[in-house]
Amino acid sequence: MKYMSMTKRWFLTVASMLSVVLIAVSFLVYALVRNYYYGAARMTVEAMNSGEINSIFSLYGASTSGFEDAARSYVENFQSKDKLAVWVINSKGKVIVSSNGFSISDDVTMPDYSDALNSPSGTSRWTGRLPSGEKIMAYTCTYHYNNGDFGGAIRYMVSMDAIDAQLRTVAVLITSVFVIVLGFLIISSTLFLRSITNPVRKIGEAARRIAGGDFKANIDSYPYNDEIGELCNIINDMADQLGETERLKNDFISTVSHELRTPLTAIRGWGETLQQIGDSDPETTRRGMEIIISEATRLNDMVEELLDFSRMSSGRMKLNSERIDYLAELDEVVFSFKERSIREGIEINYNVPTFPAPGNGDPARIKQVFINVLDNAMKYTEQGGKISVSAELPSPAELTVTVTDTGCGIAPEDLPHIKEKFYKANNTVRGSGIGLAVCDEIMNLHGGRLDIDSIYGQGTTVRLIFPLENAASQENENE
Ligand code: ADP
């Protein structure tokens, strides 16, 4: 779709619609005002009642001179002279008296007079221009004597020039209001739109830089705490988090490279030594072979851990579940650590009562969790320290295995992140920072949980909670 800025779209839709509405309203207001003024003029010319006509025609109609006098006296004493002009027209259609300076000539056209003659009501109104160019509204009332003879007519006229001048002022006023309102709308909306589009443009630029790998890109100087402010904060947080993940990933690569290099160096060194000494020193050869095998095993474990991590990240980690006894697996793992604990001078207190802890699980994965947790406890505990392993059933459906050590502990600020991938709170000890992330995933896949508590400088407690197959189903199976 073709790019179109929000401002342009606003102008094409809202602004144009608003203009149409404003123009319509302006016309409506003008029409109402015009109607009002013309209506007022109409009421003024039509206000003359038939009594006044009677007063001229009925009394004096018989004699021409009497009629002319009566007409003159009527016109002279006419009350509304300042507003209206009044003409008296005799039975021959000739204007005999006029209240103002309207020229009374034979050629003056009086459409209202002609219409009134034919109209059943005997009256008619006309709006038009005099030959002088002045615009008037005229109203003619005809009079018939009782015997039916046509008596004449009175024509009232009001000048419309003043009204039209006023209407022109009203039109200018309405147009000015229209322009001011539209201008105000356009300016305020442009400013408002700009307050949205400018930060959105900045957000776009920052997002583009973040997508390009610049995680330091930050959106600042947005002064309001609103939806856009929130979006800016989210983008800033996202950039920070991506930056942190990038940093952890780089640390991870260098740690893993280092971890891989150490056993490889040992293997290579011992290989070269064995090559040099040949069969001359069987004791050194035996020791060398042992180290090569143990370092190769370590390498293998690391590669397995990395493969697990990759499986976990892509959601491909699968369990080969079967009926197992969690405590039997724990037993085996703790036993396998005996030799190492003696070698490293760390005491392992294994205090697990003998009760069945059956469940559905992958024995290799469960062992992997125990190994990882015990390996951490050993790694982060100094010589002379203690590790205690215990188990309990807080409920018949749950087993808790607790591994507590008296090691270095974890700082409170690191504790919430400890299960995140690549996160290492302690860089002085070997490790890739993915062990606990993998363990956590394995525990989740088993419907269990891995909790860690720690007091920095005093030690760490890892709690592994497993769901057990409930006692009722066990009994059923035993039957
Ligand atoms: P690593 O391979 O680095 O040990 P883990 O994922 O197993 O990675 O552990 C993550 C981090 O948690 C470790 O780097 C360490 O700082 C901390 N940690 C885990 N277990 C313990 C423990 N028992 N005592 C102290 N720190 C621990």
Side-chain angles (χ1 to χ4, degrees):
M1 204 191 289
K2 206 172 150 242
Y3 176 82
M4 187 192 279
S5 74
M6 275 171 77
T7 316
K8 194 169 174 190
R9 206 166 64 239
W10 184 86
F11 269 103
L12 286 180
T13 52
V14 185
S16 52
M17 262 171 62
L18 273 174
S19 309
V20 170
V21 170
L22 275 173
I23 289 171
V25 169
S26 304
F27 271 109
L28 193 76
V29 171
Y30 179 76
L32 285 173
V33 172
R34 186 179 188 279
N35 227 16
Y36 171 77
Y37 275 110
Y38 272 60
R42 203 164 53 237
M43 273 163 69
T44 311
V45 289
E46 289 181 2
M48 302 304 134
N49 54 48
S50 56
E52 296 181 52
I53 300 174
N54 269 337
S55 67
I56 304 168
F57 291 99
S58 58
L59 294 176
Y60 305 100
S63 97
T64 315
S65 61
F67 172 66
E68 270 197 36
D69 286 346
R72 193 157 289 118
S73 133
Y74 169 70
V75 169
E76 269 168 17
N77 296 320
F78 186 59
Q79 295 289 314
S80 312
K81 251 190 244 166
D82 52 333
K83 285 189 266 170
L84 291 173
V86 58
W87 291 357
V88 179
I89 303 165
N90 66 15
S91 56
K92 296 188 181 68
K94 192 168 166 17
V95 180
I96 50 167
V97 190
S98 149
S99 71
N100 66 347
F102 283 127
S103 64
I104 306 165
S105 55
D106 288 338
D107 63 344
V108 65
T109 51
M110 298 186 289
D112 48 312
Y113 173 72
S114 318
D115 286 351
L117 291 180
N118 302 320
S119 147
S121 66
T123 60
S124 180
R125 195 183 63 247
W126 170 78
T127 306
R129 286 190 188 281
L130 294 174
S132 64
E134 184 175 5
K135 191 175 176 187
I136 59 159
M137 182 183 278
Y139 180 67
T140 299
C141 294
T142 56
Y143 180 77
H144 290 81
Y145 295 114
N146 287 341
N147 62 8
D149 286 352
F150 175 58
I154 301 189
R155 193 180 191 220
Y156 300 100
M157 285 151 291
V158 62
S159 170
M160 298 304 281
D161 280 354
I163 288 178
D164 279 359
Q166 265 191 352
L167 280 176
R168 271 194 298 280
T169 314
V170 169
V172 169
L173 246 161
I174 290 176
T175 313
S176 316
V177 170
F178 168 82
V179 170
I180 290 170
V181 169
L182 197 68
F184 175 76
L185 268 172
I186 288 175
I187 292 171
S188 63
S189 306
T190 310
L191 287 177
F192 180 69
L193 275 173
R194 209 170 281 168
S195 78
I196 296 175
T197 51
N198 280 353
V200 166
R201 208 168 290 133
K202 274 191 193 168
I203 291 171
E205 277 163 23
R208 206 166 293 133
R209 280 173 60 196
I210 293 167
D214 177 6
F215 303 120
K216 291 205 169 56
N218 239 291
I219 311 155
D220 45 25
S221 76
Y222 184 74
Y224 308 108
N225 185 13
D226 56 14
E227 289 86 343
I228 294 200
E230 214 169 298
L231 183 62
C232 291
N233 291 342
I234 291 170
I235 300 254
N236 286 343
D237 285 353
M238 185 187 78
D240 288 349
Q241 277 178 23
L242 284 172
E244 177 66 5
T245 308
E246 178 75 2
R247 190 186 63 75
L248 287 173
K249 189 193 81 187
N250 292 339
D251 286 358
F252 170 73
I253 291 171
S254 84
T255 312
V256 166
S257 315
H258 187 75
E259 293 277 316
L260 288 173
R261 204 175 50 195
T262 315
L264 279 174
T265 313
I267 291 171
R268 190 174 158 186
W270 273 104
E272 283 169 0
T273 309
L274 293 182
Q275 195 184 34
Q276 277 168 19
I277 63 170
D279 297 335
S280 60
D281 186 349
E283 180 50 29
T284 308
T285 306
R286 193 189 57 77
R287 201 171 130 56
M289 291 305 264
E290 258 177 30
I291 290 175
I292 288 174
I293 290 168
S294 90
E295 291 300 307
T297 310
R298 204 170 124 190
L299 266 182
N300 192 55
D301 290 348
M302 280 178 58
V303 172
E304 278 301 324
E305 191 179 50
L306 292 175
L307 285 174
D308 274 346
F309 175 70
S310 135
R311 278 187 212 112
M312 183 190 94
S313 301
S314 57
R316 283 181 294 117
M317 188 181 267
K318 295 273 172 317
L319 297 182
N320 291 320
S321 292
E322 57 187 72
R323 190 91 195 274
I324 57 167
D325 189 306
Y326 290 114
L327 292 182
E329 307 299 331
L330 177 66
D331 216 56
E332 267 185 49
V333 172
V334 174
F335 187 76
S336 71
F337 270 83
K338 278 269 181 297
E339 203 191 322
R340 177 173 162 194
S341 68
I342 293 165
R343 202 172 56 238
E344 294 184 9
I346 298 167
E347 187 186 326
I348 296 185
N349 285 323
Y350 183 50
N351 185 17
V352 173
T354 47
F355 50 74
N360 211 24
D362 183 334
R365 293 292 181 200
I366 295 296
K367 267 196 203 128
Q368 185 180 348
V369 172
F370 291 143
I371 291 173
N372 232 306
V373 171
L374 272 166
D375 181 53
N376 277 350
M378 298 279 294
K379 272 197 314 193
Y380 298 105
T381 303
E382 296 275 302
Q383 194 177 14
K386 281 189 187 136
I387 296 172
S388 74
V389 182
S390 62
E392 56 172 348
L393 294 175
S395 81
E398 207 173 80
L399 166 73
T400 305
V401 173
T402 311
V403 179
T404 307
D405 63 58
T406 57
C408 61
I410 302 162
E413 64 273 18
D414 290 322
L415 201 53
H417 306 288
I418 222 73
K419 291 196 280 181
E420 288 169 12
K421 58 187 179 185
F422 311 140
Y423 199 92
K424 274 170 70 78
N426 188 333
N427 280 310
T428 59
V429 181
R430 67 180 168 82
S432 54
I434 56 178
L436 283 182
V438 174
C439 289
D440 194 45
E441 176 70 8
I442 294 174
M443 290 304 288
N444 289 338
L445 287 174
H446 279 86
R449 218 168 67 231
L450 183 153
D451 293 341
I452 304 188
D453 274 338
S454 187
I455 300 174
Y456 191 52
Q458 288 190 23
T460 303
T461 299
V462 178
R463 241 172 246 107
L464 300 164
I465 296 134
F466 298 94
L468 294 182
E469 294 218 319
N470 80 49
S473 68
Q474 262 176 265
E475 277 166 27
N476 287 346
E477 278 174 33
N478 292 342
E479 276 170 13

mmCIF file of all heavy atoms in Angstrom, residues 186-218:
data_model
loop_
_atom_site.group_PDB
_atom_site.id
_atom_site.type_symbol
_atom_site.label_atom_id
_atom_site.label_comp_id
_atom_site.label_asym_id
_atom_site.label_seq_id
_atom_site.Cartn_x
_atom_site.Cartn_y
_atom_site.Cartn_z
ATOM 1 N N ILE A 186 -7.616 23.544 12.189
ATOM 2 C CA ILE A 186 -6.457 23.048 11.439
ATOM 3 C C ILE A 186 -5.185 23.207 12.264
ATOM 4 O O ILE A 186 -4.398 22.270 12.397
ATOM 5 C CB ILE A 186 -6.347 23.777 10.078
ATOM 6 C CG1 ILE A 186 -7.474 23.280 9.166
ATOM 7 C CG2 ILE A 186 -4.981 23.544 9.427
ATOM 8 C CD1 ILE A 186 -7.570 23.970 7.842
ATOM 9 N N ILE A 187 -5.040 24.398 12.907
ATOM 10 C CA ILE A 187 -3.802 24.622 13.684
ATOM 11 C C ILE A 187 -3.748 23.670 14.879
ATOM 12 O O ILE A 187 -2.752 22.982 15.094
ATOM 13 C CB ILE A 187 -3.701 26.088 14.147
ATOM 14 C CG1 ILE A 187 -3.489 26.978 12.914
ATOM 15 C CG2 ILE A 187 -2.554 26.276 15.127
ATOM 16 C CD1 ILE A 187 -3.583 28.446 13.186
ATOM 17 N N SER A 188 -4.886 23.604 15.643
ATOM 18 C CA SER A 188 -4.846 22.754 16.844
ATOM 19 C C SER A 188 -4.659 21.289 16.463
ATOM 20 O O SER A 188 -3.886 20.561 17.097
ATOM 21 C CB SER A 188 -6.106 22.944 17.688
ATOM 22 O OG SER A 188 -7.227 22.539 16.933
ATOM 23 N N SER A 189 -5.350 20.854 15.382
ATOM 24 C CA SER A 189 -5.214 19.445 14.986
ATOM 25 C C SER A 189 -3.820 19.152 14.450
ATOM 26 O O SER A 189 -3.265 18.092 14.715
ATOM 27 C CB SER A 189 -6.237 19.082 13.921
ATOM 28 O OG SER A 189 -7.498 19.416 14.355
ATOM 29 N N THR A 190 -3.261 20.123 13.708
ATOM 30 C CA THR A 190 -1.908 19.895 13.192
ATOM 31 C C THR A 190 -0.924 19.752 14.353
ATOM 32 O O THR A 190 -0.069 18.860 14.362
ATOM 33 C CB THR A 190 -1.481 21.060 12.270
ATOM 34 O OG1 THR A 190 -2.503 21.281 11.330
ATOM 35 C CG2 THR A 190 -0.186 20.757 11.550
ATOM 36 N N LEU A 191 -1.097 20.650 15.368
ATOM 37 C CA LEU A 191 -0.193 20.568 16.531
ATOM 38 C C LEU A 191 -0.377 19.232 17.243
ATOM 39 O O LEU A 191 0.595 18.564 17.618
ATOM 40 C CB LEU A 191 -0.475 21.715 17.503
ATOM 41 C CG LEU A 191 -0.011 23.099 17.033
ATOM 42 C CD1 LEU A 191 -0.402 24.155 18.044
ATOM 43 C CD2 LEU A 191 1.500 23.111 16.808
ATOM 44 N N PHE A 192 -1.662 18.837 17.410
ATOM 45 C CA PHE A 192 -1.936 17.574 18.102
ATOM 46 C C PHE A 192 -1.376 16.395 17.316
ATOM 47 O O PHE A 192 -0.714 15.514 17.870
ATOM 48 C CB PHE A 192 -3.450 17.425 18.295
ATOM 49 C CG PHE A 192 -3.831 16.156 18.992
ATOM 50 C CD1 PHE A 192 -3.519 15.961 20.326
ATOM 51 C CD2 PHE A 192 -4.473 15.131 18.317
ATOM 52 C CE1 PHE A 192 -3.846 14.787 20.965
ATOM 53 C CE2 PHE A 192 -4.804 13.954 18.950
ATOM 54 C CZ PHE A 192 -4.490 13.789 20.279
ATOM 55 N N LEU A 193 -1.645 16.429 15.991
ATOM 56 C CA LEU A 193 -1.148 15.328 15.155
ATOM 57 C C LEU A 193 0.370 15.266 15.204
ATOM 58 O O LEU A 193 0.969 14.204 15.256
ATOM 59 C CB LEU A 193 -1.603 15.522 13.707
ATOM 60 C CG LEU A 193 -3.006 14.999 13.386
ATOM 61 C CD1 LEU A 193 -3.408 15.407 11.992
ATOM 62 C CD2 LEU A 193 -3.077 13.490 13.506
ATOM 63 N N ARG A 194 0.974 16.476 15.192
ATOM 64 C CA ARG A 194 2.438 16.505 15.228
ATOM 65 C C ARG A 194 2.955 15.910 16.535
ATOM 66 O O ARG A 194 3.977 15.246 16.564
ATOM 67 C CB ARG A 194 2.909 17.951 15.072
ATOM 68 C CG ARG A 194 4.279 18.014 14.421
ATOM 69 C CD ARG A 194 4.643 19.412 14.058
ATOM 70 N NE ARG A 194 4.000 19.856 12.830
ATOM 71 C CZ ARG A 194 3.974 21.118 12.427
ATOM 72 N NH1 ARG A 194 4.512 22.053 13.164
ATOM 73 N NH2 ARG A 194 3.398 21.435 11.289
ATOM 74 N N SER A 195 2.180 16.166 17.647
ATOM 75 C CA SER A 195 2.620 15.607 18.939
ATOM 76 C C SER A 195 2.531 14.085 18.930
ATOM 77 O O SER A 195 3.085 13.415 19.790
ATOM 78 C CB SER A 195 1.790 16.188 20.081
ATOM 79 O OG SER A 195 0.534 15.551 20.131
ATOM 80 N N ILE A 196 1.782 13.524 17.951
ATOM 81 C CA ILE A 196 1.747 12.054 17.836
ATOM 82 C C ILE A 196 2.766 11.591 16.792
ATOM 83 O O ILE A 196 3.539 10.666 17.030
ATOM 84 C CB ILE A 196 0.326 11.574 17.430
ATOM 85 C CG1 ILE A 196 -0.658 11.913 18.534
ATOM 86 C CG2 ILE A 196 0.307 10.081 17.156
ATOM 87 C CD1 ILE A 196 -2.097 11.609 18.189
ATOM 88 N N THR A 197 2.738 12.261 15.630
ATOM 89 C CA THR A 197 3.581 11.750 14.538
ATOM 90 C C THR A 197 5.075 11.914 14.826
ATOM 91 O O THR A 197 5.863 11.044 14.464
ATOM 92 C CB THR A 197 3.236 12.431 13.200
ATOM 93 O OG1 THR A 197 3.253 13.831 13.391
ATOM 94 C CG2 THR A 197 1.887 12.010 12.690
ATOM 95 N N ASN A 198 5.460 13.017 15.503
ATOM 96 C CA ASN A 198 6.897 13.188 15.773
ATOM 97 C C ASN A 198 7.458 12.066 16.634
ATOM 98 O O ASN A 198 8.440 11.429 16.254
ATOM 99 C CB ASN A 198 7.167 14.554 16.417
ATOM 100 C CG ASN A 198 7.188 15.648 15.369
ATOM 101 O OD1 ASN A 198 7.133 15.355 14.171
ATOM 102 N ND2 ASN A 198 7.231 16.881 15.787
ATOM 103 N N PRO A 199 6.811 11.786 17.826
ATOM 104 C CA PRO A 199 7.345 10.660 18.603
ATOM 105 C C PRO A 199 7.226 9.331 17.875
ATOM 106 O O PRO A 199 8.110 8.484 18.000
ATOM 107 C CB PRO A 199 6.512 10.661 19.888
ATOM 108 C CG PRO A 199 5.424 11.616 19.689
ATOM 109 C CD PRO A 199 5.772 12.521 18.564
ATOM 110 N N VAL A 200 6.147 9.151 17.082
ATOM 111 C CA VAL A 200 6.008 7.872 16.362
ATOM 112 C C VAL A 200 7.163 7.728 15.370
ATOM 113 O O VAL A 200 7.737 6.646 15.213
ATOM 114 C CB VAL A 200 4.635 7.795 15.647
ATOM 115 C CG1 VAL A 200 4.609 6.665 14.630
ATOM 116 C CG2 VAL A 200 3.525 7.576 16.663
ATOM 117 N N ARG A 201 7.534 8.854 14.741
ATOM 118 C CA ARG A 201 8.669 8.806 13.807
ATOM 119 C C ARG A 201 9.948 8.428 14.571
ATOM 120 O O ARG A 201 10.731 7.604 14.121
ATOM 121 C CB ARG A 201 8.820 10.183 13.154
ATOM 122 C CG ARG A 201 9.441 10.087 11.769
ATOM 123 C CD ARG A 201 9.320 11.377 11.008
ATOM 124 N NE ARG A 201 7.950 11.657 10.607
ATOM 125 C CZ ARG A 201 7.338 12.837 10.756
ATOM 126 N NH1 ARG A 201 7.968 13.833 11.309
ATOM 127 N NH2 ARG A 201 6.101 13.005 10.352
ATOM 128 N N LYS A 202 10.079 9.039 15.776
ATOM 129 C CA LYS A 202 11.278 8.722 16.583
ATOM 130 C C LYS A 202 11.289 7.249 16.982
ATOM 131 O O LYS A 202 12.321 6.588 16.970
ATOM 132 C CB LYS A 202 11.278 9.575 17.858
ATOM 133 C CG LYS A 202 11.902 10.918 17.659
ATOM 134 C CD LYS A 202 12.094 11.556 19.023
ATOM 135 C CE LYS A 202 12.417 13.019 18.887
ATOM 136 N NZ LYS A 202 12.325 13.710 20.163
ATOM 137 N N ILE A 203 10.067 6.746 17.350
ATOM 138 C CA ILE A 203 9.954 5.329 17.734
ATOM 139 C C ILE A 203 10.361 4.459 16.550
ATOM 140 O O ILE A 203 11.097 3.487 16.694
ATOM 141 C CB ILE A 203 8.514 5.007 18.184
ATOM 142 C CG1 ILE A 203 8.216 5.700 19.509
ATOM 143 C CG2 ILE A 203 8.304 3.505 18.336
ATOM 144 C CD1 ILE A 203 6.774 5.628 19.948
ATOM 145 N N GLY A 204 9.895 4.844 15.354
ATOM 146 C CA GLY A 204 10.234 4.081 14.144
ATOM 147 C C GLY A 204 11.741 4.054 13.921
ATOM 148 O O GLY A 204 12.320 3.000 13.640
ATOM 149 N N GLU A 205 12.362 5.246 14.087
ATOM 150 C CA GLU A 205 13.827 5.303 13.877
ATOM 151 C C GLU A 205 14.544 4.422 14.891
ATOM 152 O O GLU A 205 15.452 3.664 14.549
ATOM 153 C CB GLU A 205 14.317 6.747 14.054
ATOM 154 C CG GLU A 205 14.143 7.581 12.800
ATOM 155 C CD GLU A 205 14.246 9.073 13.104
ATOM 156 O OE1 GLU A 205 14.857 9.424 14.132
ATOM 157 O OE2 GLU A 205 13.705 9.863 12.313
ATOM 158 N N ALA A 206 14.074 4.525 16.184
ATOM 159 C CA ALA A 206 14.726 3.724 17.234
ATOM 160 C C ALA A 206 14.541 2.234 16.941
ATOM 161 O O ALA A 206 15.489 1.444 17.060
ATOM 162 C CB ALA A 206 14.131 4.073 18.597
ATOM 163 N N ALA A 207 13.299 1.845 16.534
ATOM 164 C CA ALA A 207 13.029 0.420 16.253
ATOM 165 C C ALA A 207 13.917 -0.063 15.106
ATOM 166 O O ALA A 207 14.434 -1.184 15.147
ATOM 167 C CB ALA A 207 11.560 0.227 15.904
ATOM 168 N N ARG A 208 14.116 0.816 14.109
ATOM 169 C CA ARG A 208 14.967 0.429 12.970
ATOM 170 C C ARG A 208 16.413 0.222 13.451
ATOM 171 O O ARG A 208 17.068 -0.738 13.066
ATOM 172 C CB ARG A 208 14.909 1.531 11.912
ATOM 173 C CG ARG A 208 15.184 1.001 10.517
ATOM 174 C CD ARG A 208 14.808 1.999 9.445
ATOM 175 N NE ARG A 208 13.389 2.231 9.358
ATOM 176 C CZ ARG A 208 12.813 3.440 9.296
ATOM 177 N NH1 ARG A 208 13.547 4.509 9.318
ATOM 178 N NH2 ARG A 208 11.506 3.556 9.215
ATOM 179 N N ARG A 209 16.854 1.126 14.359
ATOM 180 C CA ARG A 209 18.239 0.975 14.865
ATOM 181 C C ARG A 209 18.362 -0.286 15.715
ATOM 182 O O ARG A 209 19.355 -1.008 15.631
ATOM 183 C CB ARG A 209 18.611 2.205 15.701
ATOM 184 C CG ARG A 209 19.010 3.379 14.797
ATOM 185 C CD ARG A 209 19.202 4.644 15.597
ATOM 186 N NE ARG A 209 20.235 4.522 16.623
ATOM 187 C CZ ARG A 209 20.375 5.377 17.633
ATOM 188 N NH1 ARG A 209 19.555 6.391 17.746
ATOM 189 N NH2 ARG A 209 21.323 5.206 18.515
ATOM 190 N N ILE A 210 17.304 -0.549 16.523
ATOM 191 C CA ILE A 210 17.338 -1.764 17.363
ATOM 192 C C ILE A 210 17.383 -2.996 16.467
ATOM 193 O O ILE A 210 18.151 -3.929 16.698
ATOM 194 C CB ILE A 210 16.117 -1.802 18.307
ATOM 195 C CG1 ILE A 210 16.221 -0.679 19.323
ATOM 196 C CG2 ILE A 210 16.028 -3.141 19.026
ATOM 197 C CD1 ILE A 210 14.947 -0.416 20.105
ATOM 198 N N ALA A 211 16.534 -2.966 15.391
ATOM 199 C CA ALA A 211 16.513 -4.112 14.466
ATOM 200 C C ALA A 211 17.890 -4.294 13.830
ATOM 201 O O ALA A 211 18.294 -5.420 13.515
ATOM 202 C CB ALA A 211 15.459 -3.889 13.384
ATOM 203 N N GLY A 212 18.612 -3.193 13.671
ATOM 204 C CA GLY A 212 19.959 -3.270 13.094
ATOM 205 C C GLY A 212 21.023 -3.659 14.109
ATOM 206 O O GLY A 212 22.212 -3.695 13.781
ATOM 207 N N GLY A 213 20.616 -3.892 15.356
ATOM 208 C CA GLY A 213 21.561 -4.381 16.363
ATOM 209 C C GLY A 213 22.076 -3.303 17.306
ATOM 210 O O GLY A 213 22.893 -3.577 18.179
ATOM 211 N N ASP A 214 21.578 -2.064 17.167
ATOM 212 C CA ASP A 214 22.021 -1.010 18.080
ATOM 213 C C ASP A 214 21.058 -0.962 19.271
ATOM 214 O O ASP A 214 20.054 -0.258 19.254
ATOM 215 C CB ASP A 214 22.031 0.331 17.332
ATOM 216 C CG ASP A 214 22.412 1.477 18.259
ATOM 217 O OD1 ASP A 214 22.775 1.200 19.418
ATOM 218 O OD2 ASP A 214 22.346 2.640 17.816
ATOM 219 N N PHE A 215 21.379 -1.745 20.310
ATOM 220 C CA PHE A 215 20.466 -1.848 21.445
ATOM 221 C C PHE A 215 20.581 -0.664 22.395
ATOM 222 O O PHE A 215 19.889 -0.589 23.404
ATOM 223 C CB PHE A 215 20.695 -3.170 22.199
ATOM 224 C CG PHE A 215 20.549 -4.364 21.299
ATOM 225 C CD1 PHE A 215 21.599 -5.247 21.110
ATOM 226 C CD2 PHE A 215 19.375 -4.575 20.610
ATOM 227 C CE1 PHE A 215 21.469 -6.323 20.266
ATOM 228 C CE2 PHE A 215 19.228 -5.644 19.757
ATOM 229 C CZ PHE A 215 20.287 -6.522 19.579
ATOM 230 N N LYS A 216 21.483 0.268 22.064
ATOM 231 C CA LYS A 216 21.596 1.471 22.919
ATOM 232 C C LYS A 216 20.622 2.533 22.442
ATOM 233 O O LYS A 216 20.478 3.582 23.072
ATOM 234 C CB LYS A 216 23.021 2.004 22.867
ATOM 235 C CG LYS A 216 24.008 1.074 23.561
ATOM 236 C CD LYS A 216 25.224 1.830 24.052
ATOM 237 C CE LYS A 216 26.064 0.988 24.959
ATOM 238 N NZ LYS A 216 26.503 -0.280 24.343
ATOM 239 N N ALA A 217 19.946 2.261 21.306
ATOM 240 C CA ALA A 217 18.983 3.227 20.772
ATOM 241 C C ALA A 217 17.904 3.463 21.818
ATOM 242 O O ALA A 217 17.307 2.521 22.314
ATOM 243 C CB ALA A 217 18.351 2.677 19.498
ATOM 244 N N ASN A 218 17.690 4.713 22.176
ATOM 245 C CA ASN A 218 16.737 5.044 23.228
ATOM 246 C C ASN A 218 15.844 6.183 22.778
ATOM 247 O O ASN A 218 16.298 7.085 22.098
ATOM 248 C CB ASN A 218 17.526 5.488 24.467
ATOM 249 C CG ASN A 218 17.195 4.606 25.636
ATOM 250 O OD1 ASN A 218 16.077 4.667 26.136
ATOM 251 N ND2 ASN A 218 18.139 3.768 26.034
#
